[in-house]
Amino acid sequence: MATSDPRPAGDSLVVMSDVQKHYGDFQALKDIDLTVSRGEVVVVIGPSGSGKSTLCRTINRLETITSGVITIDGKELPKEGKGLAQLRADVGMVFQSFNLFAHLTILENVTLGPIKVRGMKKADAEREARVLLERVGIVAQADKLPAQLSGGQQQRVAIARALAMKPKLMLFDEPTSALDPEMINEVLDVMVGLARDGMTMIVVTHEMGFARKAADRVIFMADGQIVEEAAPEQFFTRPESARAKDFLSKLITH
Ligand SMILES: Nc1ncnc2c1ncn2[C@@H]1O[C@H](COP(=O)(O)OP(=O)(O)OP(=O)(O)O)[C@@H](O)[C@H]1O
Ligand SMILES: [Mg+2]
């Protein structure tokens, strides 16, 4: 696990400068300036369509940007080729849907990337995968197929799979929103553990409990812009903008 980085806290890992993103005539991201430090946990919150997923997708270049600059660990995002594959390996992503390979066992799902992309030997990859599966609490399921696991278990496999690549950064896009309520906490607990171990994380979620427990900073987006950012407690108890107040009032009453 890349958790014992010797560099001091406060060192920037992700820097987005003046980022604009258009889909045709529609502007999905406007004037985004965001710096995420190594070891920092940033929760991104905001109404549907505000650009949260687009923000995540531009950071691992699943989406290109119209203008501006994004750097990870001081390097501008590569446009294509080997550099891009390397970047994707450095940035772990966990989505709402788990996207596990249905025909591969849990263990094979976790070892595939390290073997194919990192060039690890199968035995080494399996040893590391079992450690990760242990960490997310599902090592007993290693030889099962994804369909034999609950949604919460599958999402924990997806987290283990991303961690197996030893990413510098983990992006989570609403990782618990497709789960039954009783499974949400088992996934959030794994994420809280990761945060405590020093992983740099950008997490799109409306789970306030997670934000309060694990986030260093909350970013509130609306209409493609970062409208407000604050420490979790401050954001949830004393939001400043009318948009954030309105959004939070709806979140709490549901
Ligand atoms: N591939 C695309 N082509 C055109 N428009 C898109 C595309 N992807 C997203 N958009 C638009 O960009 C805006 C931001 O979308 P995005 O998915 O980032 O929002 P979001 O904040 O993640 O919303 P949600 O909470 O519903 O997941 C939306 O208006 C969406 O319709
Ligand atoms: Mg989204």
Side-chain angles (χ1 to χ4, degrees):
M1 211 83 354
T3 52
S4 55
D5 201 295
R7 276 171 275 200
D11 169 12
S12 309
L13 182 61
V14 182
V15 180
M16 303 179 79
S17 310
D18 198 22
V19 169
Q20 319 290 337
K21 166 69 184 172
H22 294 80
Y23 290 112
D25 290 339
F26 178 76
Q27 188 161 5
L29 293 179
K30 292 178 200 157
D31 309 329
I32 301 290
D33 286 304
L34 173 65
T35 299
V36 180
S37 302
R38 212 176 291 276
E40 192 181 15
V41 177
V42 174
V43 159
V44 182
I45 189 165
S48 180
S50 58
K52 306 178 299 292
S53 294
T54 304
L55 181 88
C56 286
R57 293 167 63 83
T58 60
I59 293 173
N60 67 353
R61 218 170 182 286
L62 286 172
E63 293 288 351
T64 58
I65 56 177
T66 313
S67 65
V69 180
I70 303 177
T71 61
I72 293 183
D73 221 357
K75 282 182 247 120
E76 196 167 338
L77 295 195
K79 301 252 177 316
E80 55 198 18
K82 249 192 152 163
L84 184 57
Q86 178 66 44
L87 164 90
R88 294 249 169 83
D90 284 344
V91 180
M93 181 133 185
V94 175
F95 303 89
Q96 182 174 336
S97 56
F98 331 121
N99 299 315
L100 299 175
F101 292 109
H103 62 293
L104 298 181
T105 66
I106 298 314
L107 189 69
E108 287 165 343
N109 265 281
V110 179
T111 57
L112 187 68
I115 292 170
K116 297 272 184 230
V117 181
R118 298 285 197 210
M120 273 179 84
K121 290 205 187 93
K122 189 168 175 238
D124 295 337
E126 288 186 352
R127 186 164 7 87
E128 289 193 8
R130 285 185 191 280
V131 172
L132 287 169
L133 289 173
E134 176 88 54
R135 185 172 176 191
V136 300
I138 36 178
V139 73
Q141 324 283 343
D143 299 319
K144 291 190 179 168
L145 292 171
Q148 296 173 283
L149 269 57
S150 72
Q153 290 174 325
Q154 290 189 54
Q155 191 60 305
R156 286 183 282 149
V157 174
I159 294 172
R161 179 179 58 177
L163 292 174
M165 299 299 278
K166 301 188 174 71
K168 291 178 180 170
L169 165 73
M170 287 280 286
L171 302 172
F172 292 86
D173 190 357
E174 303 211 34
T176 59
S177 57
L179 299 177
D180 292 337
E182 67 269 26
M183 291 170 193
I184 290 176
N185 279 334
E186 63 191 39
V187 172
L188 292 177
D189 287 346
V190 167
M191 293 168 59
V192 170
L194 265 183
R196 297 219 164 118
D197 285 347
M199 177 61 77
T200 309
M201 297 163 63
I202 298 177
V203 184
V204 179
T205 185
H206 294 161
E207 295 289 341
M208 282 193 268
F210 172 80
R212 285 196 148 112
K213 233 185 269 177
D216 296 298
R217 190 158 45 126
V218 173
I219 285 184
F220 175 72
M221 291 186 71
D223 299 327
Q225 284 179 300
I226 296 175
V227 173
E228 192 165 334
E229 48 183 302
E233 210 47 48
Q234 185 185 337
F235 178 75
F236 292 121
T237 55
R238 298 185 302 281
E240 283 178 5
S241 63
R243 291 297 304 262
K245 283 178 193 162
D246 179 55
F247 176 78
L248 285 173
S249 69
K250 286 175 184 146
L251 201 64
I252 290 159
T253 51
H254 276 224

